[in-house]
């Protein structure tokens, strides 16, 4: 699901996402969040490989704060959200959440995070302005 100020990506937890106890390994929550941000850009018409090849930019994670509230488990249906807190000249601060879908359209909040990404040049990995076309769609 997408709109200009929030994106939600459905994710299923597979066995490969879990530890021996069937609980999602902590680093995999970050992968789910990365996928949500990437798919949001894709729905807006921006492919990350093309941004790198044609505009010589990539987005990199510069900061992260995460709270694990409850564990996701094998075979859970999750909703991974991404919304924008702030946009700077070269950075975007995202608020992200992961919810478990239950019966009767119920949802249980599992994880919250604040993720700061920075737009950098592929040549020197120094921050550079976010392209106007992307900024305008996200504001």
């Amino acid at each position: 699901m997408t709109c200009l100020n929030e994106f939600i990506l459905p994710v299923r937890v597979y066995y490969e996402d879990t530890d021996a106890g069937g609980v999602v390994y902590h680093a995999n929550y970050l992968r789910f969040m990365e996928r949500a941000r990437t798919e949001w850009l894709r729905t807006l018409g921006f492919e990350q490989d093309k941004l790198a090849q044609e505009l010589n930019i990539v987005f990199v994670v510069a900061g992260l704060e995460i709270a694990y509230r409850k564990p996701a488990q094998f075979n859970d249906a999750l909703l991974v959200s991404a919304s924008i807190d702030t946009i700077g000249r070269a950075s975007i601060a995202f608020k992200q959440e992961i919810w478990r879908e239950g019966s009767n359209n119920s949802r249980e909040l599992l994880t919250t995070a604040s993720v700061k990404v920075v737009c950098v040049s592929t040549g020197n990995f120094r921050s550079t302005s976010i392209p106007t076309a992307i900024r305008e769609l996200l504001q």
Side-chain angles (χ1 to χ4, degrees):
M1 293 181 278
T2 187
C3 70
L4 292 183
N5 58 3
E6 182 181 38
F7 181 81
I8 298 174
L9 178 69
V11 171
R12 175 71 64 182
V13 176
Y14 296 109
Y15 185 71
E16 67 190 28
D17 298 320
T18 66
D19 60 18
V23 173
V24 171
Y25 181 67
H26 71 277
N28 288 334
Y29 294 89
L30 302 176
R31 290 184 178 138
F32 299 155
M33 291 178 194
E34 177 76 29
R35 290 178 197 163
R37 294 189 310 273
T38 297
E39 291 301 326
W40 191 3
L41 269 179
R42 179 174 284 127
T43 63
L44 295 174
F46 300 101
E47 296 285 346
Q48 296 222 27
D49 57 344
K50 290 185 179 169
L51 292 174
Q53 294 166 0
E54 297 170 8
L55 299 179
N56 299 315
I57 62 161
V58 293
F59 289 95
V60 298
V61 174
L64 170 71
E65 183 176 322
I66 190 164
Y68 300 100
R69 300 175 184 279
K70 294 184 179 180
Q73 298 175 312
F74 173 68
N75 211 30
D76 279 348
L78 306 178
L79 296 173
V80 184
S81 70
S83 61
I84 295 174
D85 272 342
T86 59
I87 299 178
R89 179 190 67 79
S91 66
I92 305 171
F94 288 95
K95 174 185 174 190
Q96 293 200 253
E97 297 175 332
I98 299 178
W99 298 79
R100 179 180 12 251
E101 286 190 288
S103 58
N104 301 323
N105 293 324
S106 66
R107 294 181 181 175
E108 183 178 20
L109 181 62
L110 305 180
T111 308
T112 59
S114 297
V115 182
K116 181 180 179 181
V117 298
V118 176
C119 182
V120 299
S121 167
T122 57
N124 58 17
F125 285 92
R126 292 188 181 172
S127 66
T128 188
S129 294
I130 298 169
T132 303
I134 295 173
R135 178 187 304 282
E136 286 176 354
L137 281 174
L138 296 177
Q139 286 183 320

